[in-house]
Amino acid sequence: MTSADNAGTNGQAAMQTPPVVSPQDWEAARQQLLVKEKAHTRARDALAAERRRMPWMEVTKTYAFEGPGGKISLVDLFQGRRQLVVYRAFFEPGVFGWPDHACRGCSMVADQVAHVSHLNARDTTLVFASRAPQADIIRLKQRMGWTMPWVTVTDSFDADFGVDEWHGTNVFYRDGDRIFRTYFIKSRGDEQMGGTWNYLDITPLGRQEVWEDSPKGYPQTPTYKWWNWHDSYTEGAAPDKKWVEISAAGEKAFREEAAEGRD
């Protein structure tokens, strides 16, 4: 294919596209790139393992938020779980789009959030936080179809955790009433957020599956076995026997392919 085949219109330059090749050459090129993609995946796993060993910072200051039911504390945001992920979304007077919309970038992040029940099943709560009043947040969530918990910042929480001037994601761990800040990302680091795996990978406990390289004593369960339909999680329930059978067979096949270099 030549540049003439992709000639631009309306005065735009022609796209310099890659060559078109045979199925065999395409597969060879894919396999060549796959080597680097596998290395990237393993490096990402290693980075997550290192993240789980980062030191923690205890949060000793008291913070207050407004939720749909009134005033709540930082401890309350955990909803009884051990891990908390807080994304600071810009929705308030002065933000482009107010009062009909939140920041466009923050709204794109919100649009990508997976069903939070999967995070909840891993002892993790996701919360969005803004300075807009609850009435406006509730109205916005209804308009945009967002269902994640979303609270109003009422004090210096955003300034204290680096999200007063720009969006960012903070991660916390709760041990009883003691709270620890364990991780923080912002700017392009937030681009990958939204999926269940990416959120779990920035938490101190990770995905909590047996294949992960985590510190001794961290909670871990057999790979895939905790997965469920988002409307079917039941606290304390044992994994479904049929799903254990199916997932075990799939994992076995995957491991065999990996060992043979065919994955």
Side-chain angles (χ1 to χ4, degrees):
M1 180 179 292
T2 67
S3 60
D5 295 314
N6 281 306
T9 58
N10 299 324
Q12 296 179 348
M15 290 176 57
Q16 299 297 314
T17 59
V20 175
V21 298
S22 67
Q24 295 77 14
D25 287 344
W26 183 91
E27 181 60 27
R30 189 188 79 88
Q31 290 294 331
Q32 185 176 10
L33 187 59
L34 186 60
V35 173
K36 294 182 179 179
E37 290 177 335
K38 289 181 179 180
H40 174 75
T41 297
R42 296 186 182 102
R44 185 182 62 203
D45 291 340
L47 183 61
E50 186 174 349
R51 189 181 295 123
R52 290 191 288 276
R53 291 166 171 82
M54 269 191 58
W56 296 357
M57 181 193 79
E58 185 164 10
V59 179
T60 57
K61 189 173 178 179
T62 300
Y63 294 97
F65 305 85
E66 287 289 337
K71 186 176 180 179
I72 55 177
S73 68
L74 182 58
V75 171
D76 293 331
L77 295 190
F78 284 81
Q79 298 179 12
R81 303 183 182 94
R82 283 191 287 185
Q83 301 191 127
L84 171 67
V85 179
V86 181
Y87 176 72
R88 202 297 197 205
F90 277 84
F91 178 48
E92 60 197 61
V95 170
F96 176 65
W98 175 266
D100 296 325
H101 283 290
C103 157
R104 288 186 177 182
C106 296
S107 297
M108 288 185 69
V109 172
D111 279 337
Q112 297 176 71
V113 172
H115 204 287
V116 297
S117 63
H118 303 297
L119 290 174
N120 298 163
R122 294 278 90 176
D123 211 6
T124 304
T125 299
L126 172 68
V127 174
F128 274 44
S130 300
R131 283 199 168 269
Q134 274 299 297
D136 292 299
I137 290 175
I138 292 171
R139 172 180 51 79
L140 178 69
K141 288 177 63 178
Q142 291 175 341
R143 171 176 179 169
M144 302 301 287
W146 297 328
T147 60
M148 75 288 284
W150 199 318
V151 298
T152 301
V153 178
T154 66
D155 49 31
S156 63
F157 175 86
D158 49 3
D160 292 349
F161 292 101
V163 288
D164 55 326
E165 297 181 353
W166 196 243
H167 61 84
T169 304
N170 278 280
V171 184
F172 302 93
Y173 183 87
R174 181 181 65 84
D175 183 6
D177 287 335
R178 297 181 69 190
I179 297 175
F180 305 88
R181 187 191 195 194
T182 65
Y183 197 61
F184 173 60
I185 57 173
K186 64 177 183 177
S187 301
R188 290 200 64 190
D190 276 328
E191 288 181 359
Q192 64 177 335
M193 292 298 101
T196 300
W197 310 125
N198 287 332
Y199 279 126
L200 290 177
D201 282 346
I202 65 172
T203 65
L205 299 182
R207 304 185 188 190
Q208 304 164 54
E209 294 185 338
V210 294
W211 64 269
E212 285 183 303
D213 175 12
S214 293
K216 184 178 180 179
Y218 273 43
Q220 291 187 320
T221 60
T223 306
Y224 307 144
K225 306 304 181 290
W226 64 273
W227 294 7
N228 209 338
W229 297 290
H230 75 249
D231 65 348
S232 300
Y233 284 109
T234 302
E235 186 175 357
D240 182 87
K241 292 182 179 180
K242 184 62 176 179
W243 172 241
V244 170
E245 178 185 334
I246 293 172
S247 61
E251 184 181 5
K252 181 176 182 293
F254 169 77
R255 301 302 177 193
E256 290 175 351
E257 286 190 0
E260 297 174 4
R262 296 186 291 111
D263 65 323

